[in-house]
Amino acid sequence: MRLMSDHNRDNECGETSSGIADSEAEHPPGTKILRHHVSEDEGGTRLDVFLARHTSEAYSRTYLQSLISQQRVQVDGSSVNKASHRLHGGESVQIIIPPAVPSTLEPEPIPLDVVYEDDDLLVLNKQRDLVVHPAPGHYSGTLVHGLLHHCENLSSINNIMRPGIVHRLDKDTTGLMVVAKNDTAHLHLSYQLQKRWMEREYLALVHGVPDVKKGKIEMRIGRDPDTRFKMSVVRSGGKRAVTWFRVEGVIDSEHALLRCELETGRTHQIRVHLSYIGYPVVGDPLYAPEYDDYGLEGQALHATRVAFEHPTSAEWLEFESELPDDVQDVIGRLTVCN
């Protein structure tokens, strides 16, 4: 797999072919101007949904909505201040990204298992019980705090609370994550995520043994109507979610190890999908509370492989990580008991 040339990639990602030069005359230094064309097929799409779709994971939908409310988004040259504005198709949309605000987060010496690092990015093996970025109830001790201690530079295009974060893992999900050290690398990696070129595979120890060797789960995911901090499969609304899985191994008559691949990246996606089809992840406190957790302090879900094109060298990089010791211990005990 090879990405398009720098010139074409800039146009596709929305930046003008002349870079930031056009914006510097009208806006403060560091401002980014992104431009996108609305296809006829996208007529009727909400403006915030369109922006989220075309900027992938580089910017959160909440952040994009704030830019709209600040009149930093223009449609055919006119500012729009409503996220619910419906596009007709054929318009030109311009996004004005203001310069990053210096982070007020304090670096913390949190141990990090870095498996690869260069001037553009790093790949790390995240441990259990580690929140990725600050959020209500977690204003210190996050992965971001550890990254600020470890790195001199991190990308700033997400927001000041998520510097460098290209994609996330849940607090108790272990395994490989990619972190961007500069904005160019971040946009390039996010573009690969958007186009599903970045490969991400997970291993999940589950209750039950599927009667098929592989399968596809395609079910929309939205907020659980009864418990707001949970997600659930929904018949209407929500977001499209697709998970591919195959049986990696049968542990015993009541447990299996599944290898899962994400086609989309929704909150708790693998956990929700596997629970819904009857194979919840072992140790999952939200989606398998009635099952034995075998002493695990979180779900037995591990990001075991990630592969992507390096944003500068274009080299194809692949990384793999073994299951953490606590999950391997549970598998060993189940195997012996069998």
Side-chain angles (χ1 to χ4, degrees):
M1 185 274 292
R2 285 290 178 267
L3 291 182
M4 58 192 70
S5 67
D6 286 345
H7 174 79
N8 289 334
R9 184 175 68 246
D10 285 346
N11 287 337
E12 181 72 16
C13 290
E15 292 194 30
T16 61
S17 58
S18 57
I20 300 301
D22 293 342
S23 69
E24 290 179 341
E26 303 175 7
H27 303 286
T31 299
K32 292 184 175 66
I33 303 295
L34 308 181
R35 293 189 177 91
H36 297 280
H37 177 74
V38 184
S39 69
E40 296 298 330
D41 292 340
E42 293 173 308
T45 303
R46 281 175 54 119
L47 178 59
D48 59 342
V49 173
F50 173 84
L51 296 182
R53 183 180 299 159
H54 283 270
T55 58
S56 184
E57 298 184 27
Y59 303 102
S60 70
R61 186 168 171 181
T62 300
Y63 177 68
L64 293 168
Q65 289 172 339
S66 73
L67 293 181
I68 295 172
S69 66
Q70 296 167 27
Q71 297 189 338
R72 293 180 181 274
V73 176
Q74 298 177 352
V75 178
D76 282 343
S78 299
S79 296
V80 177
N81 60 9
K82 291 185 177 180
S84 60
H85 174 83
R86 298 284 178 175
L87 298 167
H88 300 291
E91 301 103 316
S92 175
V93 176
Q94 176 174 281
I95 316 167
I96 303 171
I97 308 294
V101 177
S103 174
T104 58
L105 298 176
E106 292 294 329
E108 297 180 30
I110 297 172
L112 300 178
D113 180 11
V114 177
V115 299
Y116 174 85
E117 183 171 9
D118 61 26
D119 292 339
D120 295 303
L121 60 91
L122 64 83
V123 178
L124 59 85
N125 196 26
K126 189 183 88 66
Q127 61 265 43
R128 193 183 301 286
D129 193 28
L130 182 61
V131 175
V132 169
H133 58 75
H138 299 280
Y139 294 110
S140 64
T142 71
L143 173 62
V144 162
H145 289 89
L147 287 169
L148 290 171
H149 183 269
H150 177 82
C151 302
E152 291 186 2
N153 298 300
L154 290 170
S155 68
S156 61
I157 65 173
N158 209 331
N159 63 49
I160 60 174
M161 291 298 185
R162 303 178 186 179
I165 302 302
V166 177
H167 62 106
R168 292 173 287 173
L169 293 178
D170 296 334
K171 170 176 172 284
D172 289 318
T173 297
T174 57
L176 298 170
M177 284 186 61
V178 183
V179 175
K181 289 187 172 184
N182 55 66
D183 290 359
T184 299
H186 197 136
L187 284 171
H188 196 293
L189 293 165
S190 294
Y191 185 78
Q192 293 184 60
L193 273 173
Q194 179 190 20
K195 295 298 183 181
R196 312 304 173 200
W197 293 341
M198 181 181 289
E199 299 174 5
R200 293 179 290 166
E201 297 180 8
Y202 296 74
L203 289 175
L205 178 63
V206 301
H207 294 280
V209 179
D211 54 7
V212 295
K213 292 185 177 181
K214 60 182 178 179
K216 175 185 180 183
I217 309 169
E218 185 169 4
M219 297 175 178
R220 301 184 72 82
I221 290 178
R223 287 287 174 188
D224 188 289
D226 300 318
T227 310
R228 294 300 296 170
F229 57 82
K230 291 178 62 177
M231 308 300 288
S232 64
V233 169
V234 295
R235 295 186 179 277
S236 61
K239 296 181 178 179
R240 176 178 177 269
V242 180
T243 304
W244 296 85
F245 74 90
R246 69 176 184 268
V247 178
E248 186 84 356
V250 175
I251 308 304
D252 60 16
S253 61
E254 298 181 353
H255 303 87
L257 188 65
L258 306 185
R259 182 174 290 267
C260 303
E261 295 185 47
L262 293 174
E263 184 172 314
T264 56
R266 310 306 176 201
T267 301
H268 299 177
Q269 178 174 315
I270 293 175
R271 299 162 64 189
V272 172
H273 272 170
L274 292 181
S275 177
Y276 186 81
I277 65 172
Y279 306 105
V281 179
V282 171
D284 194 326
L286 288 181
Y287 305 105
E290 69 277 20
Y291 290 84
D292 193 338
D293 61 15
Y294 302 106
L296 289 176
E297 298 182 356
Q299 60 272 6
L301 180 62
H302 180 71
T304 190
R305 179 178 176 272
V306 64
F308 55 91
E309 183 180 86
H310 191 280
T312 300
S313 69
E315 179 184 0
W316 184 250
L317 303 177
E318 297 187 35
F319 302 93
E320 294 190 6
S321 169
E322 294 183 350
L323 287 167
D325 291 342
D326 57 354
V327 177
Q328 292 194 45
D329 178 67
V330 170
I331 291 175
R333 284 187 279 132
L334 292 172
T335 303
V336 171
C337 292
N338 189 41

